[in-house]
Amino acid sequence: MVSKYVTFWYPLQEINSEIDVISFEANFLEDEERLHSIKNIFARNQICKVCIIPELDNVYYSDTFLEDILQQDEDGFVFPYFSERYIFDQSYEWLIYQSHEFTVTFAGKWLVRECKTHIKNYEKGIVASMRQRKISKAGGTI
């Protein structure tokens, strides 16, 4: 049973619990092979221009999203951003939520399915409280 004191926000679940979500520990995703997989998921789905809502800056659009996924700084890869940030495109069919709890949550049916299919050993990186929510193989939570 999940402790009532350890909670994470799963994007859009309060609005519609049918929206598929999967949350990863950011450190799990900070791996070149996994980041290539994430980049390829978006490239295959022709997603390159996104809207980004960062916690500490103004909202902006980026058309370099695919390149940004593999960007590095002195601390390592930048994508598992360690502050609140939301990423989505104008289709509004998916969302990435990066949190200061060192989690990265992917929301949206096709995106969750692609993560489960293409991120190697994805089960090992799932946030502990989400594991307890019984992730279904087909998508979403039960």
Side-chain angles (χ1 to χ4, degrees):
M1 176 175 224
V2 176
S3 166
K4 64 182 176 181
Y5 302 107
V6 178
T7 60
F8 293 98
W9 179 69
Y10 298 109
L12 310 175
Q13 288 280 292
E14 293 165 1
I15 297 169
N16 181 348
S17 63
E18 299 297 313
I19 294 174
D20 294 343
V21 297
I22 189 167
S23 294
F24 294 100
E25 302 287 348
N27 292 334
F28 173 80
L29 294 180
E30 196 167 1
D31 169 86
E32 189 168 357
E33 182 181 351
R34 289 185 183 104
L35 291 175
H36 271 289
S37 296
I38 292 168
K39 177 182 176 179
N40 291 336
I41 288 168
F42 286 100
R44 274 193 305 279
N45 287 278
Q46 300 177 347
I47 307 243
C48 53
K49 185 172 185 173
V50 298
C51 180
I52 299 176
I53 304 174
E55 175 183 24
L56 304 172
D57 206 349
N58 294 322
V59 174
Y60 64 96
Y61 286 91
S62 171
D63 56 5
T64 61
F65 175 63
L66 294 179
E67 293 79 26
D68 295 346
I69 290 174
L70 293 169
Q71 188 179 34
Q72 295 186 50
D73 63 16
E74 64 277 356
D75 297 323
F77 290 100
V78 177
F79 177 76
Y81 188 73
F82 300 124
S83 186
E84 308 302 309
R85 185 164 78 164
Y86 308 88
I87 303 169
F88 56 92
D89 72 358
Q90 60 188 9
S91 74
Y92 303 111
E93 294 179 353
W94 61 273
L95 174 81
I96 298 173
Y97 167 56
Q98 298 168 302
S99 80
H100 69 270
E101 288 95 7
F102 302 104
T103 64
V104 180
T105 300
F106 296 87
K109 187 173 190 157
W110 73 264
L111 182 53
V112 171
R113 182 183 64 243
E114 292 277 316
C115 287
K116 291 178 179 181
T117 301
H118 298 289
I119 296 176
K120 187 176 180 178
N121 299 318
Y122 79 88
E123 300 95 340
K124 293 180 180 180
I126 294 174
V127 172
S129 65
M130 181 164 233
R131 277 191 207 109
Q132 296 169 344
R133 293 181 74 201
K134 298 183 182 175
I135 306 299
S136 73
K137 280 276 188 195
T141 56
I142 351 178

